[in-house]
Amino acid sequence: MIELTDIVKTYQRGTQQLHILNRICFTVEKGDFVAIVGPSGSGKSTLMNTIGLLDVPNSGTYKLDGIDTINMSDNQLAELRNRKIGFIFQQFNLLPRLTAMENVELPMIYAGIPPKERRERGQAMLELLGMGTRGHHKPSELSGGQQQRVAIARALAIGPSLLLADEPTGALDSKTGEEVLELVQNLHRQGNTIVLITHDHHIAESASRVVSIRDGIIVNDERNLPMLAED
Ligand code: ADP
Ligand code: ADP
């Protein structure tokens, strides 16, 4: 489903060339739930941006659903991203001037889905996340947990092959974070493929696999016992 081979990402800082990702090899099978953990600055976000086709590596190969993404133009990358990947962010990243429903519709507009179907699917997604009656609200009228539910509805709206979440509970209080984590676990049970960055060990334990990254290198990669993952 995802296949990264020998991914190198460097940044130039003054005369220094920093290796942010150092020959990363990483595969994710369909239906897996992978937590990426590691200290701040270890390269987690850069890896996520690479998987999400937001960042292009300096070298290496990346196949998404069997499609070779290296050498694609920016337009081709954007098209593939809009069709295949749903993003969930720490700060929700909802557009403040749009209603919840309009936010959920946005990726469907990019994906070329006609208006009537957008509305129906948007409503269905909001209902799935327990936000069916809040579609007309602006983000500022919603709590953090509600905003993240809208953001998850938005991520799901295009029926993505892959859900990417960067600290999805990081901006939420622990009770609300727990609820959002349960939503993510349900999405996994329903067969969604999820890659999630977290600092939180409890969240990492709820994934089916934990990948530890340090200084741009994968230093550990192990499966959680199903018992723990079902918790
Ligand atoms: P997080 O660990 O929460 O994902 P960020 O990805 O926002 O944090 O940032 C991690 C580190 O990367 C921070 O030290 C930040 O200053 C640095 N950083 C992020 N983006 C850039 C950038 N464009 N240029 C330089 N440093 C950056
Ligand atoms: P993490 O998410 O694990 O905190 P990041 O992937 O955000 O780590 O960052 C890894 C390293 O890359 C950090 O040292 C950060 O400063 C650097 N970095 C990230 N983005 C940029 C950028 N655009 N330009 C320069 N350095 C960057």
Side-chain angles (χ1 to χ4, degrees):
M1 145 102 242
I2 297 180
E3 196 177 340
L4 295 101
T5 312
D6 284 334
I7 293 290
V8 173
K9 180 73 182 177
T10 64
Y11 287 115
Q12 196 75 31
R13 184 170 297 162
T15 56
Q16 234 189 342
Q17 198 177 36
L18 303 171
H19 278 69
I20 309 303
L21 299 178
N22 214 336
R23 302 185 72 93
I24 292 262
C25 294
F26 182 59
T27 59
V28 178
E29 304 299 331
K30 196 171 181 335
D32 214 347
F33 176 10
V34 182
I36 298 179
V37 301
S40 191
S42 57
K44 302 183 298 293
S45 298
T46 306
L47 177 61
M48 187 69 98
N49 290 343
T50 304
I51 297 171
L53 302 171
L54 294 165
D55 240 358
V56 177
N58 297 69
S59 63
T61 62
Y62 174 22
K63 280 189 187 168
L64 172 62
D65 272 350
I67 302 165
D68 192 347
T69 67
I70 302 298
N71 299 326
M72 278 190 170
S73 69
D74 286 350
N75 281 341
Q76 287 173 315
L77 287 174
E79 193 272 333
L80 192 62
R81 184 167 64 234
N82 291 335
R83 200 153 47 82
K84 297 261 184 201
I85 301 174
F87 291 92
I88 303 167
F89 301 95
Q90 179 168 0
Q91 298 295 342
F92 327 129
N93 292 22
L94 297 173
L95 292 183
R97 288 172 193 278
L98 301 186
T99 65
M101 174 63 99
E102 288 163 347
N103 269 285
V104 174
E105 280 189 83
L106 207 53
M108 296 192 274
I109 294 176
Y110 294 137
I113 296 170
K116 183 163 177 290
E117 195 184 335
R118 283 203 307 262
R119 277 288 143 133
E120 285 168 4
R121 244 204 252 182
Q123 185 59 31
M125 287 304 136
L126 285 171
E127 279 169 19
L128 186 72
L129 274 301
M131 295 292 292
T133 62
R134 304 300 173 104
H136 59 286
H137 286 278
K138 296 274 174 67
S140 62
E141 297 162 350
L142 300 170
S143 71
Q146 290 173 330
Q147 289 183 59
Q148 193 62 301
R149 285 165 185 270
V150 172
I152 295 173
R154 177 183 60 183
L156 292 171
I158 52 155
S161 314
L162 174 65
L163 278 174
L164 293 180
D166 193 344
E167 298 277 3
T169 64
L172 303 173
D173 65 67
S174 57
K175 182 171 171 289
T176 312
E178 194 63 40
E179 287 165 12
V180 167
L181 177 60
E182 276 172 28
L183 289 171
V184 173
Q185 286 175 295
N186 279 335
L187 295 173
H188 173 228
R189 286 193 201 101
Q190 288 157 18
N192 287 286
T193 311
I194 301 166
V195 178
L196 167 155
I197 293 182
T198 185
H199 280 107
D200 185 329
H201 286 282
H202 173 60
I203 295 176
E205 279 167 15
S206 75
S208 50
R209 179 177 154 205
V210 182
V211 172
S212 308
I213 171 165
R214 187 175 288 262
D215 297 332
I217 293 170
I218 292 175
V219 292
N220 200 29
D221 185 345
E222 51 188 47
R223 295 216 151 260
N224 279 332
L225 295 170
M227 248 168 17
L228 285 176
E230 285 302 305
D231 223 355

